[in-house]
Amino acid sequence: MSEVSSEASEVVILERCWIVEFRSKTNVSIVLKFQSGEPDLYLEAASKPDCESWAVALGEANSEGLQNKIQQLRRLIMEIKEERSSDEAQQFLPSSQADSLGEPQFTSIRRIANEPKLEFSLACKDLVAATRDRKLNTFIQVSVVHPAEHILTRYSSTEIVEGTRDPLFLTGVTFPPEYPIYEETKIKLTVYDVKDKSQDTVRTSVLPDHKEPRADVGRSFLGCTTFRVGDLVKSKEQQLTLTLRTSDGGKTVGTIEVNLVKMGELEDGETDHITTDTQDQKCALVRECTATEGISDKDNLPSLNAVLKNPICKLYRFPTSDNKWMRIREQMAETTLSFHVPKELINLHIKEDMRRNQELKDLGELAPHWDNMRKSVIAHCDQMLSMYQDTLAELGKHTGSSFKSSCSKGEKTLEFIPINLHLQRMHVHSPRLKDALYDVITVGAPAAHFQGFKNGGLRKLLSKFEAERRNTGYQCIYYSPENTAKAKEVLSNINHLQPLISSHADLLLNSASQHSPDSLKNSLKMLSEKTELFVHAFKDQLVRSALLALYTARPGCVLKKPAVPRNSAEEGSDLQHQDHPSQIKRQDSIPHHSEYDEEEWDRVWANVGKSLNCVIAMVDRLLEKDSISSIKEGENDPSAADCKVLRTDGDWYEQLYPLVITLKDCMGEVVTRAKQSMAFVLLQELACGLPQCLMLTLRRDIVFSQALAGLVCGFIIKLHTGLHDQGFLQQLHTVGLLVQYEGLLSTYSEEAGMLEDMAVGISDLQKVMFKVIEAKSEDFLPVITGRREHYVIEVQLPAKMFELLPQEIKEGKLLRMYPVLFNVGINEQQTLAERFGDTTLQENINQENLELLKEYYKLFTEKMPPDCLPHFQEQNDLKGLLENLHQNIQAKKRKNVEIMWLAATICRKLNGVRFTCCKSAKDRTSMSVTLEQCSILRDEHQLHKDFFIRALDCMRSRQTQGALNESDDPETGCLTDNKPTSRHFYPVALLLVSSHLLVVWLILSLALLLAKYQ
């Protein structure tokens, strides 16, 4: 064996022997042991691969192995003959028809729109164990053979059923609408006996498809069988009973029953003796509780497909308390909004920042101190603007999946994208209860992971920054956040109203030139409304005080002291009556009337109203003359009346034109002064905190972008599911939509910073408004307009769906959002926070959001009738639930998950949207969602109490996730993310044993933290 080409030196007869292969990397020997007691035979190979190949060859060198190979070859020959016969049949077709076929033609499966293509359940009978006393723990692995490729692809697995030879599996098999499955597709079912359940959970997803698992890894092969999809679909009983055979095809090891889950049929059969009963239980069509026949599922498809992508479906059947079957279809889908919403937002940020930079440049000439400040601010803003543009360009290049996995949460180019944003949907069909649908949006906590949490999150950073801004000294003027927000609002109103007023003024002149009284009246009405809004926008003390401050910043303004006026933060207060301790007296900081006329601004913006009154008076006079002349013209010759009209055409236009021009000029002067004054306010905000101010704005934009993407997804899904619920639609435009976030972050280490980011991001969603419009094209993606702190999301619906909306929504009424966040840390880091850290952050957040929830409930009870609420089997009074939630928050109990359950129940009863978040939307999120789903099945759909744990195990089993790749699976993501971020968290119980150990732990933890942040 030392040389490949050497002659045979000895012949060994292998009979009743077995092979022992050494597993070490250095040993390349094989030992043959004989049952007859003859001496062992040692064989040595040249290398380890040669040794392994010899071991395989010797293992197959026996009569039984040869017989198995012969039988396998016979089966392959039969399959090849069947394929050739179908190919030969095609050769007899006419040449034109054969050419038209081209690629192989496969028979599609008839299905309902937007429903899975194929679903079936599985059960086994009379399984044969390797030993008579062995109790089987079995599961079925499902693989698909695609007819075009003839490649075996692992698709999914059932759960493990323990201790029976007649297992009935609660987990079924479902193929989503987009899956390429045809009647010619073959499905292979392989049954395994699990020896070590914990081992198998890990190993089943890493074995290659073409190899059977070794018996020593925790499971053993029992048998397999194959069937065509067409045979199942066309079978009379909608059921196949197949024989399980060993891999060589010789020995029968039991039978397996495949029951087609046919949509629309009621199930028959009881669930008595569930471990042995495998009779035909048909599945009913799962429908949403709000569905009616007013609109077909086909009409819903375009708008939903524009938002949801790559659905993954799972099918279950669980027994109810009255021994009936209920069917559950679980669906998880990605959303294109994960990237669409951030790109839209970044584009708006770029436009807003470019406009702000131009407004700063248009401030005019400033004194050297202020001019240097402006140059510094513009330079920093240009750098930030360039960063936004680069990020948008990188996102435009992104291809691949439509969600960001947890492995990418630290990537700079993806920091605006939410983590693992998915829809988790559960359809429930119960035999005696109304069908129902339950949605939860799962997403990683909105947070700036790339920027890190060394100094905390937004909640702490914003508070610290505001305190520092109050003590900036004389370099700039302090304006409160309220005043700064007011300045941005004034600028936004100017940019919005000025072009509208100008266009309405042109329409007024056009109506005058056409001598159209009705059109003139309508144009005047619109011009008056917009001008009144324009004038009202400047009735604010902030504009007057900012104009005075800007005057002092002009060159040539000589003051008695070189100090800059310091404006108090109180909006609406006069500068002459401020008592701020650092406020400089009037005669030292503000010029006298001889230098600056404080009443000039009042005269300027008042001239706009006066000009409008002149226009109104002239229009009234012209219309009055027209009515009088028309009466006289009716008594005279018609030809003379025509001449009169021609003469008055020029009169109307000529008389209105100078008044309209005066109105435009007055408005232009107001716009110029107001823009400059408000831009000066924004200059102070930026100058007081460079570069921290811009970095905080960036961080807030990142967090808000992630939060908004999830909110838009939740709103669109809720709107589609509630489109036929008139009570919900009335609540939507009368009160608004409740959005409840369930946070599972701890208040320890970096997750405390994530929670601070998340709290601010969700709070900012209060300023978002939604508007539903009719789609004018096939593009149904939402459109975002507005500016920071004031965004409007326009959701597009097809015409048939849009017609179902109330008149108020169709007319464009803005819909308000009421986001609330309740957080309860549940991991080991929260244990450390509760024992050695601080949980004040969590307590404050829960208390603040409880008040917001109470406000929404109060508003709801005042404006809505109680019968519009959804009805549940578990009838709990909303007021009592709120009181119970209040008591649990006040109790400050450790890891009080009752807060989560109460908040979720209140949200569902108030027609709200549910979110569940942890750091990466993986482990903690999946545990929470599956527990909530099983609890709903128990409380609302009478899930049998003895099957609660088994149902929970089915939903949490990684085996049933099927053909998901680890890189694409949001519940798996990056494997290293399953571990704690910091690895110095030792068991707390051990540390409590001795105070010495506690001291050592604290020292080690401090050392590791210092090393990490250096």
Side-chain angles (χ1 to χ4, degrees):
M1 294 177 66
S2 60
E3 296 181 9
V4 177
S5 61
S6 61
E7 297 182 358
S9 59
E10 184 178 357
V11 177
V12 180
I13 299 175
L14 301 180
E15 186 177 6
R16 292 189 295 275
C17 65
W18 67 92
I19 304 169
V20 178
E21 179 186 355
F22 294 98
R23 299 297 182 183
S24 65
K25 294 182 179 180
T26 57
N27 200 325
V28 291
S29 300
I30 297 175
V31 179
L32 298 179
K33 292 182 176 292
F34 298 89
Q35 292 182 0
S36 60
E38 295 182 11
D40 297 342
L41 180 62
Y42 291 85
L43 303 176
E44 185 173 347
S47 63
K48 188 64 179 176
D50 288 345
C51 180
E52 292 177 352
S53 63
W54 272 102
V56 173
L58 290 172
E60 296 177 351
N62 54 71
S63 58
E64 185 179 356
L66 292 175
Q67 290 176 359
N68 292 338
K69 284 190 174 182
I70 292 172
Q71 292 180 359
Q72 290 179 0
L73 289 173
R74 285 176 178 172
R75 287 200 304 272
L76 288 175
I77 291 172
M78 293 300 295
E79 292 178 359
I80 292 172
K81 286 182 178 180
E82 292 176 359
E83 293 175 2
R84 284 183 176 178
S85 63
S86 61
D87 295 338
E88 291 171 358
Q90 188 175 355
Q91 293 176 1
F92 290 98
L93 292 173
S95 58
S96 60
Q97 188 176 354
D99 293 339
S100 65
L101 290 176
E103 296 294 328
Q105 300 296 312
F106 303 116
T107 307
S108 300
I109 301 174
R110 294 182 180 179
R111 64 181 182 87
I112 301 175
N114 210 29
E115 293 288 331
K117 280 188 175 180
L118 177 69
E119 292 180 317
F120 57 85
S121 58
L122 299 168
C124 295
K125 277 189 176 181
D126 304 324
L127 295 179
V128 178
T131 59
R132 181 174 299 178
D133 298 333
R134 165 75 178 162
K135 289 187 176 181
L136 297 177
N137 304 322
T138 53
F139 74 93
I140 300 177
Q141 179 179 289
V142 181
S143 303
V144 179
V145 182
H146 297 281
E149 302 174 353
H150 300 286
I151 298 176
L152 187 68
T153 304
R154 181 171 301 179
Y155 183 75
S156 67
S157 300
T158 67
E159 83 281 8
I160 299 173
V161 179
E162 301 179 355
T164 178
R165 299 192 180 190
D166 301 315
L168 188 147
F169 298 96
L170 302 183
T171 304
V173 181
T174 179
F175 293 89
E178 295 81 7
Y179 195 87
I181 189 169
Y182 310 94
E183 290 188 6
E184 294 79 8
T185 303
K186 292 183 178 180
I187 295 179
K188 180 181 179 182
L189 306 175
T190 308
V191 182
Y192 291 102
D193 176 24
V194 179
K195 297 179 180 179
D196 188 343
K197 186 176 179 181
S198 61
Q199 277 190 355
D200 187 77
T201 303
V202 178
R203 295 179 181 267
T204 53
S205 60
V206 298
L207 288 171
D209 287 334
H210 62 278
K211 292 185 179 180
E212 294 179 4
R214 295 170 58 95
D216 58 354
V217 299
R219 68 180 186 177
S220 60
F221 173 82
L222 286 182
C224 63
T225 187
T226 305
F227 69 92
R228 290 177 68 255
V229 171
D231 295 339
L232 175 62
V233 174
K234 297 177 180 179
S235 62
K236 184 177 180 180
E237 301 294 332
Q238 304 289 283
Q239 173 183 339
L240 295 178
T241 301
L242 308 171
T243 302
L244 287 171
R245 297 184 181 276
T246 55
S247 58
D248 57 7
K251 185 179 179 182
T252 301
V253 294
T255 60
I256 183 169
E257 291 186 357
V258 184
N259 293 288
L260 182 66
V261 174
K262 194 170 183 180
M263 298 294 100
E265 290 188 9
L266 293 176
E267 54 188 329
D268 53 5
E270 303 290 333
T271 61
D272 299 333
H273 312 294
I274 187 169
T275 57
T276 59
D277 183 14
T278 57
Q279 57 186 313
D280 184 16
Q281 289 110 13
K282 304 290 194 329
C283 176
L285 174 62
V286 178
R287 290 293 185 189
E288 300 177 8
C289 56
T290 56
T292 66
E293 297 181 359
I295 186 170
S296 64
D297 288 338
K298 190 174 182 180
D299 297 323
N300 281 303
L301 283 177
S303 54
L304 278 178
N305 289 340
V307 175
L308 300 178
K309 296 292 182 183
N310 303 326
I312 299 172
C313 299
K314 293 162 70 174
L315 180 69
Y316 308 101
R317 51 176 174 177
F318 297 140
T320 61
S321 56
D322 55 354
N323 292 327
K324 296 291 183 180
W325 286 109
M326 64 174 167
R327 304 283 181 172
I328 295 92
R329 182 187 297 148
E330 191 180 23
Q331 176 183 338
M332 182 178 67
E334 305 170 13
T335 172
T336 56
L337 299 175
S338 292
F339 282 83
H340 173 74
V341 170
K343 287 192 289 187
E344 289 275 304
L345 269 182
I346 296 174
N347 192 33
L348 290 177
H349 293 334
I350 292 173
K351 293 179 180 179
E352 181 180 348
D353 291 348
M354 291 178 66
R355 188 166 55 246
R356 178 198 58 197
N357 291 357
Q358 187 60 44
E359 289 165 352
L360 292 177
K361 295 175 183 178
D362 293 342
L363 273 175
E365 190 177 3
L366 298 176
H369 167 73
W370 298 106
D371 191 51
N372 292 334
M373 181 184 294
R374 175 173 57 178
K375 291 178 180 178
S376 176
V377 168
I378 292 177
H380 281 86
C381 289
D382 286 340
Q383 293 179 3
M384 195 63 63
L385 182 61
S386 177
M387 190 279 298
Y388 280 103
Q389 292 171 337
D390 293 342
T391 301
L392 183 61
E394 290 297 323
L395 290 179
K397 301 175 184 177
H398 176 82
T399 57
S401 63
S402 54
F403 74 96
K404 182 176 78 173
S405 65
S406 60
C407 293
S408 305
K409 63 174 173 284
E411 293 187 15
K412 179 174 177 54
T413 56
L414 299 177
E415 58 185 345
F416 285 85
I417 311 300
I419 302 171
N420 276 336
L421 176 59
H422 287 80
L423 166 68
Q424 186 77 20
R425 168 169 287 182
M426 182 175 71
H427 290 269
V428 183
H429 170 77
S430 301
R432 298 179 182 176
L433 299 175
K434 192 174 182 179
D435 292 358
L437 178 148
Y438 302 92
D439 288 339
V440 177
I441 307 295
T442 60
V443 63
H449 292 276
F450 177 78
Q451 296 190 20
F453 309 96
K454 182 178 180 180
N455 298 316
L458 275 173
R459 191 177 171 104
K460 180 186 294 183
L461 292 174
L462 289 172
S463 177
K464 182 180 178 181
F465 174 74
E466 188 60 29
E468 291 175 350
R469 271 214 323 143
R470 292 177 180 271
N471 303 314
T472 51
Y474 69 91
Q475 288 87 356
C476 58
I477 304 172
Y478 172 77
Y479 288 94
S480 68
E482 293 78 14
N483 279 337
T484 303
K486 181 66 178 178
K488 295 177 181 178
E489 182 182 354
V490 170
L491 287 173
S492 177
N493 290 334
I494 291 173
N495 295 326
H496 175 68
L497 292 174
Q498 184 185 14
L500 287 178
I501 295 174
S502 179
S503 63
H504 287 308
D506 294 337
L507 288 175
L508 182 71
L509 292 176
N510 186 43
S511 300
S513 64
Q514 296 178 0
H515 199 276
S516 173
D518 293 336
S519 178
L520 193 67
K521 290 179 182 178
N522 293 333
S523 299
L524 179 63
K525 179 181 178 182
M526 297 300 297
L527 179 64
S528 301
E529 291 177 355
K530 299 302 179 184
T531 307
E532 287 176 3
L533 291 175
F534 181 82
V535 173
H536 180 74
F538 303 111
K539 288 184 178 180
D540 196 281
Q541 180 67 21
L542 176 65
V543 180
R544 182 181 287 104
S545 63
L547 281 169
L548 179 57
L550 177 60
Y551 178 83
T552 63
R554 298 293 186 191
C557 178
V558 180
L559 303 177
K560 296 182 179 180
K561 288 186 178 181
V564 177
R566 185 177 180 86
N567 181 18
S568 173
E570 299 300 325
E571 183 179 327
S573 62
D574 190 78
L575 290 175
Q576 303 178 23
H577 303 90
Q578 290 178 352
D579 299 324
H580 195 281
S582 60
Q583 178 67 35
I584 304 172
K585 294 183 179 180
R586 175 184 169 83
Q587 60 267 26
D588 295 332
S589 60
I590 300 177
H592 294 288
H593 288 283
S594 59
E595 300 171 0
Y596 177 76
D597 187 358
E598 292 182 336
E599 296 180 357
E600 182 181 4
W601 166 247
D602 295 333
R603 291 194 297 270
V604 169
W605 70 263
N607 286 339
V608 176
K610 294 178 181 178
S611 300
L612 177 65
N613 291 334
C614 293
V615 172
I616 295 173
M618 178 58 68
V619 170
D620 291 341
R621 191 179 308 134
L622 292 174
L623 292 175
E624 183 179 358
K625 288 181 179 181
D626 181 72
S627 62
I628 296 174
S629 62
S630 62
I631 295 173
K632 292 181 179 180
E633 289 165 5
E635 300 173 356
N636 298 328
D637 184 63
S639 60
D642 294 337
C643 296
K644 181 67 177 177
V645 171
L646 292 174
R647 288 195 302 271
T648 56
D649 282 349
D651 293 341
W652 279 30
Y653 183 85
E654 291 175 359
Q655 293 183 55
L656 277 176
Y657 181 77
L659 299 178
V660 171
I661 293 300
T662 302
L663 174 63
K664 287 185 176 181
D665 291 341
C666 293
M667 184 180 64
E669 186 175 2
V670 170
V671 167
T672 301
R673 297 195 180 203
K675 270 191 172 184
Q676 289 182 346
S677 64
M678 296 299 97
F680 189 73
V681 174
L682 298 184
L683 175 64
Q684 310 308 310
E685 179 199 25
L686 295 170
C688 286
L690 283 177
Q692 292 86 353
C693 179
L694 293 176
M695 293 306 298
L696 280 177
T697 301
L698 171 62
R699 188 183 189 105
R700 198 164 189 170
D701 288 344
I702 290 170
V703 175
F704 179 77
S705 172
Q706 299 177 24
L708 183 63
L711 176 64
V712 175
C713 176
F715 177 85
I716 292 176
I717 297 302
K718 185 66 178 179
L719 181 63
H720 279 77
T721 57
L723 203 57
H724 303 275
D725 187 347
Q726 295 303 316
F728 165 73
L729 294 176
Q730 181 186 355
Q731 174 186 351
L732 186 61
H733 71 79
T734 304
V735 184
L737 183 65
L738 177 65
V739 185
Q740 186 253 326
Y741 289 81
E742 174 183 306
L744 303 172
L745 295 172
S746 69
T747 55
Y748 190 85
S749 186
E750 290 188 347
E751 289 198 9
M754 297 178 201
L755 181 57
E756 290 178 348
D757 276 357
M758 182 179 177
V760 174
I762 292 175
S763 177
D764 287 344
L765 295 177
Q766 298 178 30
K767 303 167 185 175
V768 176
M769 309 288 279
F770 280 81
K771 181 181 180 181
V772 184
I773 61 175
E774 182 178 353
K776 301 302 182 182
S777 66
E778 296 299 320
D779 184 8
F780 297 102
L781 289 174
V783 179
I784 305 178
T785 58
R787 58 177 176 81
R788 289 182 179 92
E789 301 179 358
H790 184 73
Y791 288 105
V792 176
I793 316 297
E794 296 181 351
V795 177
Q796 304 185 75
L797 289 182
K800 290 184 179 180
M801 299 176 67
F802 187 77
E803 288 301 320
L804 300 175
L805 297 173
Q807 191 63 30
E808 293 85 351
I809 298 181
K810 288 195 288 186
E811 290 175 354
K813 183 175 182 179
L814 296 180
L815 311 175
R816 289 199 59 187
M817 300 294 108
Y818 292 85
V820 293
L821 166 64
F822 294 96
N823 187 85
V824 175
I826 59 174
N827 63 353
E828 70 280 2
Q829 296 190 26
Q830 185 63 24
T831 303
L832 294 173
E834 290 172 345
R835 291 186 178 273
F836 310 112
D838 185 14
T839 60
T840 306
L841 173 63
Q842 175 176 286
E843 294 167 2
N844 291 340
I845 289 175
N846 290 343
Q847 185 61 45
E848 292 168 6
N849 286 271
L850 174 64
E851 298 304 320
L852 295 175
L853 183 58
K854 288 181 177 179
E855 289 179 11
Y856 179 85
Y857 174 71
K858 180 181 179 182
L859 189 64
F860 179 88
T861 54
E862 291 174 352
K863 295 187 176 183
M864 293 295 297
D867 57 354
C868 72
L869 289 174
H871 298 285
F872 292 87
Q873 294 293 315
E874 191 73 19
Q875 293 296 335
N876 292 320
D877 179 41
L878 270 172
K879 189 174 182 180
L881 289 172
L882 279 169
E883 182 61 31
N884 196 0
L885 178 61
H886 174 77
Q887 294 175 359
N888 277 274
I889 291 176
Q890 294 295 324
K892 299 181 181 180
K893 179 182 175 183
R894 293 179 179 177
K895 295 186 179 181
N896 190 359
V897 294
E898 187 70 15
I899 293 176
M900 298 288 94
W901 177 247
L902 288 169
T905 303
I906 294 171
C907 174
R908 294 198 185 279
K909 287 181 176 293
L910 287 173
N911 283 318
V913 179
R914 285 268 298 112
F915 283 79
T916 299
C917 313
C918 65
K919 182 174 73 172
S920 302
K922 295 190 307 182
D923 299 332
R924 280 171 279 179
T925 297
S926 61
M927 294 297 105
S928 174
V929 170
T930 50
L931 178 60
E932 180 181 358
Q933 290 180 166
C934 288
S935 300
I936 290 173
L937 294 178
R938 177 194 60 196
D939 298 336
E940 304 296 335
H941 299 277
Q942 301 178 4
L943 173 66
H944 197 289
K945 61 180 181 180
D946 295 337
F947 283 83
F948 181 87
I949 298 300
R950 188 172 170 188
L952 195 61
D953 290 340
C954 287
M955 290 185 173
R956 290 179 174 178
S957 173
R958 288 199 64 238
Q959 287 195 141
T960 60
Q961 290 176 4
L964 288 175
N965 295 323
E966 290 182 353
S967 59
D968 298 332
D969 181 8
E971 299 296 338
T972 304
C974 185
L975 295 179
T976 57
D977 286 346
N978 293 329
K979 302 175 183 179
T981 305
S982 302
R983 305 193 180 188
H984 55 277
F985 301 118
Y986 307 106
V988 178
L990 177 63
L991 299 175
L992 295 178
V993 173
S994 170
S995 58
H996 300 288
L997 288 176
L998 179 58
V999 173
V1000 172
W1001 173 76
L1002 291 173
I1003 295 174
L1004 290 175
S1005 300
L1006 180 61
L1008 287 172
L1009 286 173
L1010 291 175
K1012 179 178 180 180
Y1013 292 115
Q1014 281 181 351

